[in-house]
């Protein structure tokens, strides 16, 4: 049977390696060695044993996945309290159940108590400790607070220690205490009264004589201290008063607040007499600057000084 090129179908000779038409190589037949007769007989007599199949161990069954526990139902604070209280009675035989925290998970994080306040739960049965009376002289412990299920015990009211202002000193003999509409009180001589107020300066005086008390009230003082204020007034006094002479200008403490005291003399232009003046000032906690001032003839100064010192000793803010 003639041979043909597998690529183009052209007839080729038996010994041709390449096709004369397409030039492609013709596949050459593979050499198959002859099988000996003995091997053919053996193969016919007994079939070849099957190829061994590798042994595969049986698969190990995997443990079944544990079922995912269903989310626990949210228990109400009353049920939590009831379970805890029952366990406490079973374990402690009626003793105090102790302190527990009512919690309510909201999915935002670890379980926390709603307001981090412990609920103290006690039983009605007295314990040994409660039945034992306190030793003589020992302070008695406060009674335990009992709560009903689901009820929170409110915090005790906060006790703030308040220091009551000390009572104002009584007026000495010959003086009386007056309360001024400007918010202060002090003692003045019995025969003195309020003469009036002008631009924040309130005068208390008698019907005769020049002695008087002048109370200055400056709300929201625009200066840092009474000392600074006295320095400013002194500069004007030196320019306007004849023979002005400072006796003292000092920092001090008045009514527990920083203050200043200013004392001086000068000559009265009309009478030519020497006048003596003294002024105590301080800025109160409310920001108001108060000054207590008096002026008298130098020969009457002992009486004026006593009136001034009584006013300071009995001064108070209402």
């Amino acid at each position: 049977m003639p041979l043909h090129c597998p690529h183009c179908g052209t007839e080729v000779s038996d010994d041709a390696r390449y096709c004369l038409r397409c030039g492609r190589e013709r596949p050459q037949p593979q050499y198959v060695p002859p099988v000996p007769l003995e091997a053919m007989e053996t193969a016919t007599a007994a079939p070849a044993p099957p190829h061994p199949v590798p042994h595969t161990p049986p698969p190990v069954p995997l443990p079944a996945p544990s079922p995912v526990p269903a989310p626990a139902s949210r228990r109400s604070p009353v049920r939590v309290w009831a379970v805890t209280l029952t366990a406490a009675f079973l374990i402690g035989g009626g003793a105090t159940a102790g302190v527990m925290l009512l919690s309510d998970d909201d999915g935002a994080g670890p379980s926390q108590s709603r307001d981090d306040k412990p609920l103290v739960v006690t039983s009605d049965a007295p314990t040994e400790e409660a039945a034992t009376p306190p030793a003589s002289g020992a302070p008695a412990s406060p009674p335990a607070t009992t709560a009903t299920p689901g009820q929170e015990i409110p915090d005790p009211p906060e006790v703030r220690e308040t220091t009551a202002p000390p009572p104002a000193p009584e007026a000495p003999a010959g003086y009386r205490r007056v309360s001024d509409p400007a918010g202060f009180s002090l003692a003045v001589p019995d025969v003195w009264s309020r003469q009036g107020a002008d631009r924040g300066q309130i005068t208390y005086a008698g019907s005769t004589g020049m002695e008087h008390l002048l109370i200055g009230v400056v709300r929201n003082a625009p200066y840092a201290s009474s000392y600074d204020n006295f320095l400013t007034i002194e500069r004007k006094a030196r320019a306007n008063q004849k023979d002005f002479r400072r006796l003292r200008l000092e920092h001090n403490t008045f009514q527990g607040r920083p203050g200043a005291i200013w004392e001086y003399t000068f000559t009265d232009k009309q009478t030519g007499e020497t006048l003596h003046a003294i002024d105590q000032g301080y800025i109160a906690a409310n920001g108001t600057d108060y000054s207590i001032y008096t002026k008298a003839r130098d020969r009457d100064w002992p009486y004026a000084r006593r009136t001034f010192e009584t006013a300071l000793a009995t001064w108070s803010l209402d």
Side-chain angles (χ1 to χ4, degrees), residues 17 31 33 47 62 66 84 87-88 123 145 147 166 196 204 219 229 252 262 264-265:
R17 185 174 180 180
Y31 172 76
L62 298 176
S66 58
T84 306
S123 66
T145 305
Y204 282 88
R219 311 286 182 187
N229 184 40
N252 68 355
W262 179 33
Y264 57 92
T265 61

Side-chain angles (χ1 to χ4, degrees), residues 234-251:
E234 187 183 63
R235 284 193 291 269
K236 298 178 180 178
R238 289 183 181 277
N240 297 326
Q241 301 294 345
K242 183 181 179 182
D243 302 327
F244 177 87
R245 184 166 67 96
R246 180 204 289 182
L247 300 181
R248 58 173 170 162
L249 176 55
E250 303 168 350
H251 292 279

Side-chain angles (χ1 to χ4, degrees), residues 114-126:
R114 185 172 298 276
D115 51 5
D116 295 334
K117 295 180 182 178
L119 175 63
V120 180
V121 183
T122 60
S123 66
D124 295 334

Side-chain angles (χ1 to χ4, degrees), residues 13 23 25-26 31 46 58 63 75 84 86 88 93 103 124 161 187 250 269-270 272-273 278 291 296 298 300:
S13 60
E25 183 179 4
R26 183 173 64 86
Y31 172 76
R75 294 182 295 175
T84 306
T86 302
S103 62
D124 295 334
E161 295 183 1
E250 303 168 350
K269 295 178 182 179
Q270 295 180 355
E273 291 186 277
I278 190 170
S291 63
D298 193 51
D300 298 328

Side-chain angles (χ1 to χ4, degrees), residues 3-92:
L3 300 178
H4 295 81
C5 175
H7 303 289
C8 63
T10 305
E11 183 177 353
V12 294
S13 60
D14 294 341
D15 56 352
R17 185 174 180 180
Y18 296 95
C19 177
L20 296 177
R21 182 178 181 182
C22 64
R24 295 184 182 182
E25 183 179 4
R26 183 173 64 86
Q28 300 297 319
Q30 295 183 355
Y31 172 76
V32 180
V35 180
L37 182 61
E38 294 81 0
M40 293 181 64
E41 292 176 354
T42 304
T44 306
H51 294 284
V53 179
H55 174 71
T56 303
V60 180
L62 298 176
S66 58
V68 179
S73 61
R74 304 175 70 180
R75 294 182 295 175
S76 65
V78 176
R79 184 172 298 176
V80 173
W81 178 89
V83 173
T84 306
L85 183 59
T86 302
F89 270 98
L90 291 177
I91 297 172

